[in-house]
Structures are given as structure tokens and as C-alpha cells.
Amino acid sequence: MWGRNVYDSISKFLQFQLTVNVVAVIVAFTGACITQDSPLKAVQMLWVNLIMDTFASLALATEPPSESLLLRKPYGRNKPLISRTMMKNILGHAVYQLTIIFTLLFAGQPQGQSVLGERGEGKG
């Protein structure tokens, strides 16, 4: 039961981390190519990875095993750690996140404009 729980936790952690890292690399590369400046600086990228690694590992390491784990068949020795379903989830979530990030990055408020009015007063 504990072994299956650890395997599932590792799979979930890998899926989460690969999604975050794929998105971060694509955003950094595309942003650098289009805007000639990376949207995330190196230190910011390190902070993103530090925060994501910490919270994801804490969440998955504290998940207790359940009796339902024993009801499924064990995985084979040669089963890949990243399954076809996991790869679809990773790519699907990455596309969703990239859509939101690029919308905010390129169609968001233009740089140099303030949400406040000219005298520093809020609109409305």
C-alpha cells in the first residue's frame, strides 16, 4: 500500500513539475524572441522553481495511503513513469497556462500606463 502511494505521489509530482517547467521554458524563450527581453529573469525563474518544488512536494508527501490502492492491479516493472495520459495532461495544462500567460503578456495593459488617472486618482 505504501509503495503504491509513493509511486502515485511521484507520478503526480512529475506531472506537476513538468507542466510548470515546460510553461516556464516556453514563456522565457518566446518572450525573449518576441520582446528581445525575457519576461522572467533568472532570479525570478529560480524563485518560481523553489516555490513550486516546495509546495508540490509538501502536498504530495503528506498524502496518506488509502485501502483503495490495494484494489487495483500492480504496475508492471517495465511500465513507463510518464504514461500517455500523463503526457496529454501535461501538454493540455501547459497550453491552458500558456494561453493565459501570453494573453496577459501581449494583450494586457500596455507598459508605462497606470491604472490610476493623471493626478494619481482612481478612475470612477
Side-chain angles (χ1 to χ4, degrees), residues 2-79:
W2 282 95
R4 292 180 186 189
N5 187 45
V6 168
Y7 183 87
D8 288 348
S9 293
I10 290 172
S11 294
K12 292 175 190 175
F13 181 76
L14 278 176
Q15 183 173 333
F16 179 77
Q17 284 301 312
L18 288 174
T19 303
V20 169
N21 287 327
V22 163
V23 170
V25 166
I26 291 173
V27 166
F29 180 76
T30 307
C33 290
I34 293 175
T35 64
Q36 303 299 321
D37 186 33
S38 179
L40 292 173
K41 306 294 183 228
V43 174
Q44 292 170 327
M45 190 78 84
L46 289 172
W47 275 107
V48 167
N49 276 326
L50 177 70
I51 291 168
M52 297 314 250
D53 290 347
T54 304
F55 290 134
S57 61
L58 282 175
L60 295 173
T62 56
E63 187 175 335
S66 65
E67 294 291 330
S68 64
L69 290 172
L70 296 175
L71 299 176
R72 73 164 192 236
K73 294 169 72 173
Y75 296 125
R77 183 176 290 199
N78 296 328
K79 182 187 178 295

Side-chain angles (χ1 to χ4, degrees), residues 75-103:
Y75 296 125
R77 183 176 290 199
N78 296 328
K79 182 187 178 295
L81 194 56
I82 300 172
S83 65
R84 187 177 304 257
T85 303
M86 281 178 61
M87 189 55 71
K88 288 179 186 176
N89 286 339
I90 291 169
L91 294 176
H93 285 278
V95 167
Y96 174 72
Q97 291 176 19
L98 287 169
T99 302
I100 291 173
I101 289 172
F102 285 142
T103 300

